[in-house]
């Protein structure tokens, strides 16, 4: 019997990051509708963060507008008088149009109101990416630095990879950054990868079904970077019987098992015998000063810690840091926004064109989105993910689907071109169909996430 151990503190941090990020995106998106609606003298009846069927967590009326907080974190809305939207307020639409209503305004004003949310999300993504480039720059481990190659996990060995191989290219495209191989294989639907083994280059064919499994595994189980296990620091809680480890020592064996690379240590930690070490001493052998082999006993406490911290991949292999002035950060941020959107569209296209990428393996609900956030609070990761979600939210909303901003905008554009406005009844039915489709998709995605949790 296997027990599912959940780190609730990590889960809580993920949830808090999701709520904050989602709240920023929703409030600013709805503000993009709210402000032009007010500029064009439309009455805005409600402004809500999250949906509020049956009751609201908080609400307060200021002027003509009720501001509130709902309890279902799937979005938010502004209710503009005279507009067929999520509220499906048929009674109001049966009355004669009033000057303050959305339906009474010229088509060009209605179009600006409808595209306001998308516009704000695009601007927000650009702004955040520019600020990220300015404050943190661009930092990554070049693929050329992986001098120890990779550890080939089950999916890697399936295509003939071996420990120590270096991945040079995917589908003929040179790999420049560590951590991009798996996603590039999926997006390019690669038929082969180029590796270097013992100084010789060779092509490894990617068999049918591999990309499907890689996508289903969320890029896990393919390859992992190999690098030596080098002691970075010793915590005061560490207890040794024999010589103390010191910063710079390189681990050779862990509990009498060869551990030359961090991936070796990960394999040992996965082994069921690892937990049996808790509360006991175990031996670690290290290379000291680059020449002396030293073995010592380390106490493994009941919490699973032994007080030795190791250098991370960047410290061992080195990284590239590109810093930008504010002026330089602007084009760099714009480029990153475009790349983010382009990659998303490439992935979305695969749902309809690829035999390997299945919707049930790629779709996810708020549970999947929440899980993308790191288990510790990291502002760079938080703002990066917020920018990514902002540009994706803009793209999804501009799609010409009824119930989305793009659907309303499409009807308005048709009106501007033909001079004929679609009937309120037609828009009402289109809105209803669109909402049914969206809620069905959301329910399907939520069901997939729940299934994955208990699988």
């Amino acid at each position: 019997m296997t027990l599912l151990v959940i780190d609730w503190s990590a889960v809580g941090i993920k949830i808090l990051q999701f709520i904050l990020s989602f709240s920023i995106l929703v409030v600013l998106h709805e503000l993009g509708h709210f402000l032009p609606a007010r500029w064009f003298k439309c009455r805005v009846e409600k402004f809500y963060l999250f949906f509020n069927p049956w009751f609201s967590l908080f609400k307060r009326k200021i002027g003509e507008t009720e501001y509130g907080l709902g309890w279902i974190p799937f979005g938010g809305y502004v209710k503009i008088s005279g507009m067929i939207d999520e509220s499906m307020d048929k009674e109001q639409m049966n009355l004669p149009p009033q000057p303050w209503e959305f339906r009474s305004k010229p088509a060009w004003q209605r179009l600006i109101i409808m595209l306001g949310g998308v516009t704000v999300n695009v601007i927000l993504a650009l702004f955040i990416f520019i600020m990220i480039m300015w404050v943190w720059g661009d930092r990554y481990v070049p693929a050329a630095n992986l001098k120890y190659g990779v550890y080939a996990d089950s999916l890697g060995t399936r295509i003939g990879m071996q420990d120590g191989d270096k991945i040079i290219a995917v589908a003929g495209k040179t790999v420049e950054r560590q951590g991009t191989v798996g996603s590039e294989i999926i997006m390019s639907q690669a038929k082969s990868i180029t590796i270097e083994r013992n100084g010789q280059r060779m092509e490894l064919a990617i068999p049918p079904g591999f990309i499907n499994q890689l996508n289903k595994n969320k890029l896990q189980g393919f390859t992992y970077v190999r690098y030596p296990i080098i002691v970075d620091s010793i915590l005061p809680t560490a207890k040794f019987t024999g010589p103390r480890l010191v910063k710079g020592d390189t681990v050779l064996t862990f509990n009498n098992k060869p551990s030359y690379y961090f991936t070796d240590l990960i394999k040992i930690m996965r082994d069921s015998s690892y937990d049996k070490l808790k509360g006991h001493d175990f031996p670690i052998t290290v290379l000291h000063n680059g020449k002396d082999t030293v073995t010592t006993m380390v106490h493994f406490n009941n919490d699973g810690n032994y007080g030795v911290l190791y250098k991370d991949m960047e410290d061992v292999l080195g990284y590239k840091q590109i810093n930008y002035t504010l002026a330089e950060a602007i084009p760099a941020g714009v480029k990153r926004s475009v790349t983010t959107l382009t990659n998303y569209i490439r992935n979305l296209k695969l749902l309809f064109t690829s035999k390997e990428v299945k919707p049930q393996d790629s779709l996810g609900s708020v549970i999947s989105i929440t899980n993308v956030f790191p288990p510790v609070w990291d502002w760079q990761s938080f703002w990066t993910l917020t920018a990514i979600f902002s540009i994706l939210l803009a793209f999804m909303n501009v799609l010409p689907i009824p119930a989305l901003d793009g659907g309303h905008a499409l009807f308005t554009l048709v009106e501007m071109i033909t001079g004929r406005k679609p009937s309120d009844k037609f828009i009402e039915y289109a809105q209803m169909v669109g909402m049914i489709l969206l809620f069905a998709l959301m329910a399907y995605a939520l069901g997939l996430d729940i299934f994955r949790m208990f699988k």
Side-chain angles (χ1 to χ4, degrees), residues 51-324:
F51 295 125
N52 63 318
W54 303 298
F55 68 93
S56 304
L57 297 178
F58 166 82
K59 61 180 179 180
R60 181 178 181 182
K61 191 166 186 177
I62 302 176
E64 299 174 335
T65 306
E66 177 183 298
Y67 300 87
L69 176 65
W71 57 277
I72 300 181
F74 286 168
Y77 68 97
V78 289
K79 186 180 185 324
I80 303 173
S81 296
M83 177 181 173
I84 299 176
D85 55 11
E86 297 92 341
S87 65
M88 299 299 289
D89 190 348
K90 299 179 182 180
E91 292 184 8
Q92 184 184 50
M93 300 305 294
N94 289 330
L95 299 174
Q98 300 299 319
W100 63 80
E101 290 187 337
F102 176 83
R103 55 181 169 162
S104 299
K105 303 302 177 182
W108 67 272
Q109 292 185 3
R110 284 184 274 122
L111 183 63
I112 291 175
I113 293 172
M114 289 316 309
L115 294 180
V118 169
T119 303
V120 167
N121 281 130
V122 171
I123 294 172
L124 176 64
L126 290 171
F127 175 77
I128 294 177
F129 274 132
I130 289 170
M131 290 297 103
I132 288 173
M133 292 300 186
W134 185 37
V135 174
W136 288 290
D138 188 12
R139 175 169 169 167
Y140 63 93
V141 176
N145 288 19
L146 308 188
K147 56 185 178 180
Y148 303 98
V150 299
Y151 159 69
D153 209 341
S154 57
L155 280 178
T157 57
R158 178 177 168 183
I159 62 173
M161 293 200 67
Q162 298 178 8
D163 291 352
D165 287 350
K166 300 174 184 177
I167 302 177
I168 306 300
V170 174
K173 180 181 178 181
T174 301
V175 177
E176 296 181 358
R177 297 176 180 236
Q178 181 276 326
T180 62
V181 171
S183 57
E184 187 58 37
I185 288 175
I186 294 174
M187 285 193 295
S188 64
Q189 296 287 280
K191 302 298 181 183
S192 67
I193 61 173
T194 306
I195 67 164
E196 181 182 303
R197 180 181 298 164
N198 300 323
Q200 300 293 320
R201 289 200 176 196
M202 60 180 67
E203 294 286 322
L204 295 180
I206 296 178
F210 175 85
I211 292 177
N212 173 261
Q213 193 61 51
L214 183 62
N215 186 56
K216 185 181 293 186
N217 289 3
K218 308 299 181 185
L219 306 180
Q220 299 299 308
F222 178 36
T223 61
Y224 300 94
V225 177
R226 293 205 310 179
Y227 57 95
I229 310 171
I230 301 175
V231 175
D232 183 58
S233 59
I234 307 297
L235 299 179
T237 54
K239 297 179 181 179
F240 298 95
T241 302
R244 290 181 63 86
L245 300 185
V246 297
K247 184 173 183 176
D249 285 347
T250 301
V251 175
L252 300 177
T253 68
F254 185 95
N255 196 31
N256 296 319
K257 296 179 180 179
S259 305
Y260 301 113
Y261 303 106
F262 216 90
T263 47
D264 296 328
L265 183 57
I266 292 174
K267 285 187 287 184
I268 293 172
M269 293 171 65
R270 287 177 179 174
D271 193 280
S272 59
S273 62
Y274 182 74
D275 283 340
K276 297 178 181 178
L277 293 177
K278 292 181 180 179
H280 299 85
D281 292 354
F282 66 93
I284 290 183
T285 302
V286 299
L287 186 65
H288 183 63
N289 291 329
K291 58 182 179 179
D292 300 324
T293 300
V294 176
T295 299
T296 188
M297 301 296 292
V298 184
H299 183 69
F300 198 46
N301 65 28
N302 292 324
D303 294 329
N305 298 312
Y306 52 95
V308 180
L309 301 180
Y310 303 109
K311 292 185 177 181
D312 61 23
M313 178 178 61
E314 290 187 350
D315 288 336
V316 177
L317 300 178
Y319 59 87
K320 185 174 183 178
Q321 174 72 40
I322 304 174
N323 296 316
Y324 299 92

Side-chain angles (χ1 to χ4, degrees), residues 353-418:
T353 61
S354 173
K355 295 180 180 179
E356 300 268 359
V357 179
K358 309 296 183 182
Q360 62 266 29
D361 300 325
S362 302
L363 292 177
S365 66
V366 292
I367 296 176
S368 288
I369 297 173
T370 302
N371 204 42
V372 170
F373 287 94
V376 295
W377 199 289
D378 179 84
W379 281 112
Q380 185 176 358
S381 295
F382 172 83
W383 286 117
T384 299
L385 289 170
T386 300
I388 291 172
F389 293 143
S390 188
I391 197 74
L392 301 189
L393 181 63
F395 174 77
M396 294 301 295
N397 264 282
V398 83
L399 293 176
I401 300 173
L404 295 179
D405 297 343
H408 290 284
L410 176 63
F411 295 146
T412 307
L413 284 172
V414 170
E415 176 188 346
M416 295 172 69
I417 294 171
T418 64

Side-chain angles (χ1 to χ4, degrees), residues 51 72 74-75 364-366 435 437-447:
F51 295 125
I72 300 181
F74 286 168
S365 66
V366 292
M435 288 178 63
L437 290 174
L438 287 177
F439 281 125
L441 181 61
M442 291 168 63
Y444 177 59
L446 183 61

